[in-house]
Amino acid sequence: MAFENLKTDNKIKDQGDYLGGVQVFDSATYPMKINLAYQGLSRKGANSLNITFKAEDGRELRHTFWVTGGKEKGQNNFYLNKKTGEKQYLPGFMQANSLSLLAAGKELSDLITEDKVIKIYDFDAKKEIPTTVPVFTELLDQSVILGLIKQVVDKNKKGDDGEYHPTGETREENDVDKIFRASDGLTVTEIKAGADHPVFKER
């Protein structure tokens, strides 16, 4: 299992339901099927869950959930809130764990992976390259409902220092704001509370 060290801890508070901020979807909720789900790793050691969703109209959405910090931060799925002194989960981990619970009925740390060769875009080569990665097979072909936000962000370009910097140009992209169970539109928080009606989704 790729994320077995990212178990949830009862001492860390769940953030509950909140409103947040290629092919770009308008801001709305969309039924989606998971076409691909694999583990990624940044150059600084941050772990990610990379998902390719497919909408009912055939459009695809690729999204990266950053589930840990980098090596310098211990590759943890949480951070220390400087104001309260309490541990809080990284937003990307919270969303990825919710996706896992709603799609597969398991926490992210309990998902089993299988090494597979898939084509992944390489920014240095500027093309997709066959790469062996851990694939979360239990998520494949599972359905969820995504609450998407369309937003305008800066375009970044890699500099001589190896880091990416804003170019002054902008582009539109989607952010996954909330995830709902496909069968009834409930969130993880609502399911844990025993709700039988999707209140948050209808806001």
Side-chain angles (χ1 to χ4, degrees), residues 49-198:
L49 173 64
N50 303 284
I51 304 286
T52 299
F53 297 98
K54 190 169 185 178
E56 293 178 334
D57 61 6
R59 288 186 291 168
E60 286 191 345
L61 172 72
R62 296 182 182 184
H63 191 77
T64 300
F65 299 94
W66 291 103
V67 299
T68 77
K71 290 181 179 178
E72 290 183 357
K73 297 181 178 180
Q75 292 181 305
N76 294 312
N77 61 342
F78 61 86
Y79 65 96
L80 191 65
N81 187 310
K82 294 180 180 179
K83 291 184 179 180
T84 65
E86 295 181 337
K87 292 180 180 179
Q88 289 185 276
Y89 289 121
L90 296 173
F93 169 75
M94 287 294 296
Q95 287 190 320
N97 199 53
S98 291
L99 176 71
S100 180
L101 287 166
L102 295 169
K106 292 183 176 182
E107 294 216 352
L108 186 63
S109 59
D110 294 327
L111 292 179
I112 297 171
T113 61
E114 181 179 337
D115 285 346
K116 292 181 179 291
V117 177
I118 63 174
K119 287 187 176 182
I120 298 177
Y121 185 82
D122 184 282
F123 287 95
D124 293 327
K126 294 182 171 55
K127 63 179 181 179
E128 290 187 333
I129 296 177
T131 308
T132 301
V133 294
V135 173
F136 294 91
T137 54
E138 293 169 286
L139 292 178
L140 302 182
D141 296 322
Q142 299 299 322
S143 296
V144 291
I145 298 172
L146 297 183
L148 300 180
I149 291 178
K150 184 167 70 173
Q151 57 188 12
V152 178
V153 298
D154 288 322
K155 286 185 179 180
N156 293 322
K157 185 177 180 180
K158 190 175 181 180
D160 295 335
D161 59 358
E163 300 294 331
Y164 285 87
H165 305 280
T167 62
E169 299 179 56
T170 60
R171 62 183 173 85
E172 290 184 335
E173 70 172 21
N174 286 123
D175 186 36
V176 176
D177 184 53
K178 199 67 183 177
I179 307 170
F180 309 91
R181 189 161 62 183
S183 61
D184 52 20
L186 294 175
T187 67
V188 168
T189 301
E190 289 172 333
I191 293 169
K192 289 180 177 179
D196 56 9
H197 183 71

